[in-house]
Amino acid sequence: MAERYNTPAEGTLDWHVPLNENFKKLDKHVELRDAESNIGQYVPNAGAKFLATDTGTVYIGDGDTWNPIGDITPSSTGSTTADDGTIIASPGDLQSAIDDASNGAEWGKRPTQTVRLVSGENYTVSDTIKLRRGVRLECNGARIVPSGDFNVIEMYRESQLIEPHIDSRNQGWSSTQIVVGADDAAKLEAANRAWVRDAYLMGDKGAGTGLQFRGGSGGPCSMQWASGTVNGFKRAIDLYAAGGDTSGQGDWSNGNHFEGLIRNYEIGVSMRSEGAAVTGNSFRLQAQPNPRVSKWLWYMEDDPRSSSQRGDTSYVKKGNAMLVKSWDNINYEKNPYYDSSDRKPPVWYIGKGKQYANSLYDFGGLMGNQYIVNNADTPDRNGILTGHGGHVTGTTEWSQPPNYQRNDSRNWHHESRNS
C-alpha cells in the first residue's frame, strides 16, 4: 500500500498535498458501482472503472467518456463472464452457456471458448449435455448428476472436457457417461479433437458405460485421447464402431487412447462393432476387478456371422495394444471360465472373426497366453508379453526366455476354440 499511496512522515509540512494525490489515485483504483442510468453522475477519469449493477456492463473512462468493454451477465441464463472471457455457468444453465460459447470451430482455425462450472456445486442435469464445437468445459470440482437414464455428455469435434466428476450411482442408470463422438458429430480426428482430461466417473457396478469412443453415423472416431479414473459400470471403457461402413471415412473406432485407473467393472475394456473396424487403439492402465461383478479385463466381441461369411473386411479388430498392471486377477469370479480349482481365471476374450495383431503387455510379469480365451480365426497373431519374456507368432517371431510359461500358440486357455 505504501508503494501505491503517499504516506506523509510525521511533521511534514503541507501534508494535505500528498493526501489529495491519494484521492486522485482512488478515482482510478476503486471500481464505481451504480445503476447504468446514473453513469452520468460520475466523472470518467482516465483508467476509472464503472460497473452497471443492473445490466452487468463494464465501462472504462478515458478522461472524456465512459467506454463499454464487456459485461459480466451476457445473457438471461444466469451465467456470468469473468475478466478473462471465461463463461461461468450456473447450475441449471449449463447447456445454454455451452450453446452461447460454441463458435462452430474445426481444424484448429479458431480459439476455444472456455465454460467453467462453479466449484463445489452439484449440477443436476435433466438431459444430455452436448459439448459443442469450439468449447472447452472446465468442471472445476463441480459434480454432475443425471436425473434420468440418458447419456450424460456427448462430445463434438474441436471440444475439450477437463476434470469432469460425474456420478450416476444408486438411481438405476444404465446409459453412457461420456460419449467421445456424438451420433451427429462428424469425423473426429487429431486435427478435430474431442479430448477428455482427468475424468472422475462413478457408476454402479455392472451398469452402464463410463467412457465410450464412438465411431458412427457422423463419421469415424479417430486419434482421440482421454485420461482419468473410472469406477464401476458394465463397461469401464468402450470402443464402439456403431455402423457398418468400412470405407476410409466409415464408422470405425481407431487410434484412440485412454490412460488411467479402472476398477469395479464387469468388463474393463470392451470392443464392439456393428460391422466397421475397431483398430489401433491403445491403453495404459491400472486395473482392479471386483469379485462380485467382474468378468473380463479385455473383451473383444465375436463377429456375429458364420465362418463362411467372414471373408471380408467387416468386424475386424486388429492392432490394439494394452499396457496394464492388473491387480487381483483371482477376482474375475463372474468370468464364465472361472474355476475355483484353477490357478486363476482368464482375463482376455478374443472373439471369432478377423481379430489379430492385438497385444497385452503385463507390467506385473505374471500372465502368459493361458490367460487368453482365443477364439479368433487368426489366433497366432495375438498374445500377452511381459518384461521378463514372451512369445508371439505372426509375420515375424519375437521371443525371450519366459519367467512363467512359454507364451506360444499351444498355451491358450484350455477352453479356447483354438486350444
Side-chain angles (χ1 to χ4, degrees):
M1 182 66 73
E3 295 177 0
R4 295 180 60 189
Y5 297 103
N6 299 313
T7 306
E10 184 177 357
T12 299
L13 299 177
D14 298 326
W15 52 267
H16 61 285
V17 175
L19 289 184
N20 287 338
E21 291 294 327
N22 289 343
F23 289 118
K24 292 180 181 179
K25 293 179 179 180
L26 287 172
D27 288 338
K28 291 195 300 182
H29 295 164
V30 177
E31 179 180 86
L32 302 173
R33 297 186 179 186
D34 204 340
E36 191 161 32
S37 59
N38 296 329
I39 192 172
Q41 300 176 15
Y42 299 88
V43 178
N45 294 307
K49 183 179 179 183
F50 180 91
L51 171 63
T53 55
D54 52 347
T55 67
T57 304
V58 179
Y59 296 83
I60 295 293
D62 63 6
D64 295 314
T65 59
W66 290 107
N67 300 297
I69 62 168
D71 59 63
I72 62 169
T73 53
S75 69
S76 59
T77 64
S79 300
T80 61
T81 300
D83 288 342
D84 66 356
T86 297
I87 297 174
I88 310 300
S90 60
D93 292 302
L94 176 53
Q95 187 62 61
S96 57
I98 291 172
D99 293 343
D100 286 346
S102 178
N103 59 16
E106 58 182 358
W107 305 108
K109 293 180 179 179
R110 299 183 184 180
T112 300
Q113 173 71 58
T114 296
V115 175
R116 182 178 298 143
L117 306 189
V118 179
S119 183
E121 292 283 353
N122 282 312
Y123 283 69
T124 300
V125 295
S126 58
D127 202 354
T128 299
I129 299 166
K130 302 286 189 176
L131 188 52
R132 303 195 184 278
R133 293 184 183 185
V135 178
R136 171 188 170 96
L137 179 60
E138 295 184 353
C139 295
N140 196 32
R143 175 173 168 262
I144 300 172
V145 181
S147 63
D149 192 1
F150 48 81
N151 295 342
V152 181
I153 297 177
E154 294 182 353
M155 300 181 67
Y156 291 75
R157 62 201 297 178
E158 198 61 29
S159 64
Q160 299 172 67
L161 180 58
I162 311 301
E163 297 181 351
H165 174 190
I166 305 174
D167 191 349
S168 60
R169 293 173 295 179
N170 303 316
Q171 51 181 306
W173 180 92
S174 60
S175 299
T176 302
Q177 286 198 359
I178 299 175
V179 179
V180 180
D183 60 5
D184 57 344
K187 182 180 180 179
L188 300 178
E189 55 188 324
N192 277 308
R193 60 187 172 179
W195 291 356
V196 182
R197 191 180 79 192
D198 295 339
Y200 184 47
L201 310 182
M202 309 292 287
D204 290 327
K205 301 177 185 69
T209 299
L211 186 143
Q212 180 183 87
F213 294 100
R214 182 188 185 279
S217 58
C221 180
S222 178
M223 306 293 182
Q224 300 308 308
W225 179 91
S227 66
T229 295
V230 184
N231 187 72
F233 304 101
K234 179 176 182 178
R235 300 178 180 94
I237 308 298
D238 188 32
L239 285 296
Y240 182 40
D245 185 351
T246 61
S247 69
Q249 301 299 320
D251 299 324
W252 25 273
S253 178
N254 81 315
N256 302 295
H257 179 77
F258 176 85
E259 58 183 70
L261 168 66
I262 59 173
R263 62 191 305 268
N264 294 323
Y265 45 81
E266 183 175 309
I267 297 172
V269 174
S270 166
M271 290 186 169
R272 303 182 293 143
S273 172
E274 304 301 330
V278 180
T279 61
N281 302 285
S282 61
F283 314 90
R284 188 181 182 95
L285 303 173
Q286 293 272 340
Q288 187 173 40
N290 185 300
R292 293 188 296 275
V293 67
S294 294
K295 294 181 179 180
W296 299 98
L297 169 62
W298 195 356
Y299 189 85
M300 308 172 80
E301 284 192 350
D302 290 310
D303 183 331
R305 303 171 299 174
S306 66
S307 57
S308 63
Q309 298 174 311
R310 296 201 293 259
D312 59 12
T313 58
S314 295
Y315 297 96
V316 173
K317 302 178 185 72
K318 68 175 182 178
N320 301 287
M322 178 184 295
L323 289 77
V324 61
K325 168 54 185 170
S326 182
W327 296 91
D328 306 323
N329 287 341
I330 194 64
N331 285 341
Y332 288 98
E333 292 187 15
K334 299 301 181 181
N335 186 296
Y337 299 90
Y338 178 82
D339 184 343
S340 59
S341 65
D342 234 355
R343 177 165 45 193
K344 287 179 182 176
V347 301
W348 183 7
Y349 179 83
I350 304 176
K352 299 175 184 178
K354 285 188 176 180
Q355 310 209 35
Y356 63 93
N358 301 292
S359 303
L360 187 153
Y361 298 84
D362 173 29
F363 286 155
L366 297 175
M367 291 192 291
N369 284 346
Q370 68 274 21
Y371 284 87
I372 306 174
V373 175
N374 189 344
N375 293 336
D377 294 354
T378 50
D380 290 348
R381 298 287 302 277
N382 301 288
I384 293 177
L385 302 97
T386 75
H388 310 291
H391 182 105
V392 179
T393 60
T395 55
T396 60
E397 187 173 281
W398 177 86
S399 63
Q400 288 180 339
N403 73 324
Y404 192 59
Q405 287 185 13
R406 187 173 180 81
N407 292 346
D408 64 25
S409 59
R410 296 183 297 279
N411 281 334
W412 310 122
H413 187 272
H414 64 276
E415 294 187 60
S416 299
R417 184 168 68 109
N418 299 298
S419 177

